[in-house]
Amino acid sequence: MKANEGFFERVYEVCRLIPEGRVTSYGAIAKYLGAARSARMVGWAMNSSGNMDDVPAHRVVNRNGLLTGKSHFGGSDAMQQLLEEEGVPVKNLQVQDFNKYFWDPGKELT
DNA sequence: ATCTTGACAGACG
DNA sequence: TCGTCTGCCAAGA
């Protein structure tokens, strides 16, 4: 791996831009990168990166606000706890008021 | 070089 | 309204 991080690098960068207490969806990031149909690549990038500490992947959830990737955080509810600590209410791996805590990179950043 | 998988999303039945 | 399928792009085997 680590051949050409062109695409992934942007994914990591956007993830870092996610403010604390805020969550975003793979589709939003993908769209911001210009790959709205490649939301899977966003998660793919994380998986390849291996949960970089610089990349708060725990703030990234699917369009349902579900912490689908929590399995990659060690299989524990660490992802959920992290979000709750940041101010994001999570219930059973699902973000409450997702629309309220949703953070759109292409919209908030512009 | 080819096929399968992948933390998704949206469209179709 | 719910369930299923395809589409997208890239990387691993």
Side-chain angles (χ1 to χ4, degrees):
Chain A
M1 59 154 59
K2 283 262 184 132
N4 289 326
E5 300 178 345
F7 185 91
F8 298 153
E9 190 177 300
R10 291 172 202 243
V11 178
Y12 307 141
E13 188 174 302
V14 176
C15 287
R16 290 179 206 163
L17 296 174
I18 303 172
E20 297 179 15
R22 217 57 115 199
V23 289
T24 189
S25 63
Y26 297 95
I29 297 171
K31 186 174 183 179
Y32 179 73
L33 298 175
R37 276 85 179 183
S38 306
R40 330 165 64 142
M41 302 286 76
V42 179
W44 202 210
M46 303 298 206
N47 186 13
S48 294
S49 75
N51 308 300
M52 288 178 150
D53 292 273
D54 298 327
V55 183
H58 60 271
R59 293 181 192 151
V60 186
V61 297
N62 63 359
R63 74 158 185 103
N64 293 306
L66 186 67
L67 283 57
T68 52
K70 75 100 183 176
S71 301
H72 294 276
F73 276 79
S76 299
D77 297 338
M79 187 174 182
Q80 178 178 322
Q81 291 179 46
L82 286 168
L83 288 170
E84 291 183 300
E85 276 187 69
E86 294 184 354
V88 180
V90 181
K91 187 69 170 187
N92 191 14
L93 304 178
Q94 188 172 308
V95 178
Q96 305 302 291
D97 297 299
F98 180 58
N99 184 23
K100 178 180 172 184
Y101 291 95
F102 183 74
W103 179 79
D104 190 329
K107 187 171 184 175
E108 299 298 318
L109 295 175
T110 311

